[in-house]
Amino acid sequence: MRNPMFRHLVFAIFSIISFSNAYACLDDKAILQLKANEEAHLISRNVATMTDAIEDKLLSVQVKQLDDTCGVTITYRLPDEDIAEANKLLDSNPAKRIMLAGQGYVLPTQTTLIANAGVNLNPLSIKHQDILQSADLGRNRASVELLYATLAQTRAVIIPNTKNTEPWPMSLMDQEKSLCESQYTSDSNQSACTCKTDAISKKVSPRQLRYIKYLQNDPYSSTTSALAIYRDLSEQVNFECKLIKR
């Protein structure tokens, strides 16, 4: 007859192995990588306001392993004031809110968005079915992107008679000067594009300029007041610096 103590020992060993295997699929390094991947995905959407919110630690991502699977819980935490600001803007344009909702885009109404998702181990990534917009994580991603795309429309607005107090880095000055030279010329002012870049930099902060450029590339934002104000400013500066279109 076998020793009962031996049987208990064998059972305990198998239990420990099974318990360890349940948690071995995602170690701390994998969890940190999944968090970095999720932040990288949000940044890859090229929504300037969202990128800044991540860099300013206003929009945060948390990843935790589910208790007994190789799945994770992904949590977004958002500033309450950002949610209120974006909803106020869409409240003033109910037709746009209805159109966006029809396409599956809805602004967040709470500061914490939570979704469970499965994980592929090789390569380490979220399972495809969980990033579709029909899944919780896919919906949360779309909701957060809409939030910050909407905020860009207000934060890009240039307030008349105000001055920018944040100096432009030289790399940005050079970049904008080169862009100007590719689009404009002048018969009477050899420094016309330097003139324009200096003038715009006194009115528009580096962040505002990023938001404006984001809106310029967004087909849904072509008629926003922020772009109209920037176009008026740009045309005024073109006239003062004696620039004409190539």
Side-chain angles (χ1 to χ4, degrees):
M1 183 174 179
R2 292 184 179 179
N3 190 330
M5 289 296 294
F6 177 77
R7 289 203 303 270
H8 285 304
L9 180 61
V10 171
F11 176 78
I13 291 172
F14 275 104
S15 296
I16 292 170
I17 292 173
S18 299
F19 181 84
S20 299
N21 286 342
Y23 286 86
C25 64
L26 294 174
D27 57 15
D28 290 345
K29 183 178 179 181
I31 293 296
L32 288 174
Q33 186 59 56
L34 287 168
K35 178 180 184 292
N37 290 353
E38 193 63 23
E39 290 176 343
H41 165 77
L42 296 177
I43 292 171
S44 75
R45 301 302 297 165
N46 292 320
V47 181
T49 35
M50 185 159 65
T51 299
D52 285 341
I54 293 171
E55 291 178 354
D56 294 342
K57 302 189 185 306
L58 298 174
L59 164 59
S60 67
V61 177
Q62 184 181 50
V63 178
K64 287 186 176 182
Q65 183 174 354
L66 291 172
D67 288 343
D68 56 356
T69 70
C70 285
V72 293
T73 297
I74 297 178
T75 302
Y76 294 153
R77 299 192 188 280
L78 310 163
D80 185 65
E81 55 269 26
D82 285 358
I83 295 172
E85 183 182 342
N87 275 285
K88 182 178 179 181
L89 181 63
L90 274 195
D91 283 343
S92 66
N93 191 347
K96 184 172 184 179
R97 186 189 284 274
I98 292 170
M99 179 196 73
L100 289 168
Q103 297 173 352
Y105 292 95
V106 180
L107 282 174
T109 57
Q110 54 191 18
T111 57
T112 302
L113 302 180
I114 301 173
N116 293 338
V119 176
N120 297 311
L121 298 181
N122 188 23
L124 187 65
S125 59
I126 299 299
K127 287 186 177 293
H128 177 71
Q129 66 263 26
D130 290 318
I131 63 175
L132 299 176
Q133 205 164 325
S134 56
D136 288 343
L137 178 59
R139 278 193 295 271
N140 288 352
R141 285 179 171 184
S143 187
V144 171
E145 183 174 340
L146 174 61
L147 169 69
Y148 285 101
T150 302
L151 290 176
Q153 298 179 32
T154 60
R155 296 180 181 176
V157 173
I158 303 165
I159 301 173
N161 303 318
T162 59
K163 293 182 180 180
N164 169 43
T165 58
E166 183 182 351
W168 283 21
M170 188 56 64
S171 58
L172 180 59
M173 296 287 284
D174 292 342
Q175 176 184 314
E176 289 303 300
K177 181 183 174 184
S178 295
L179 179 63
C180 170
E181 290 171 346
S182 70
Q183 297 175 337
Y184 297 93
T185 187
S186 177
D187 295 331
S188 56
N189 184 359
Q190 292 185 344
S191 302
C193 279
T194 299
C195 169
K196 177 173 183 174
T197 305
D198 287 344
I200 296 293
S201 70
K202 290 174 182 175
K203 288 283 189 182
V204 182
S205 73
R207 281 196 172 190
Q208 275 185 309
L209 187 64
R210 288 201 301 274
Y211 302 161
I212 288 166
K213 289 183 178 296
Y214 164 72
L215 294 176
Q216 287 174 331
N217 292 315
D218 180 5
Y220 293 108
S221 303
S222 60
T223 60
T224 61
S225 60
L227 288 185
I229 294 170
Y230 180 74
R231 279 194 294 266
D232 290 345
L233 172 63
S234 186
E235 289 174 5
Q236 177 187 341
V237 170
N238 288 346
F239 175 78
E240 292 172 354
C241 293
K242 300 179 172 57
L243 283 163
I244 56 174
K245 270 276 192 184
R246 286 190 179 277

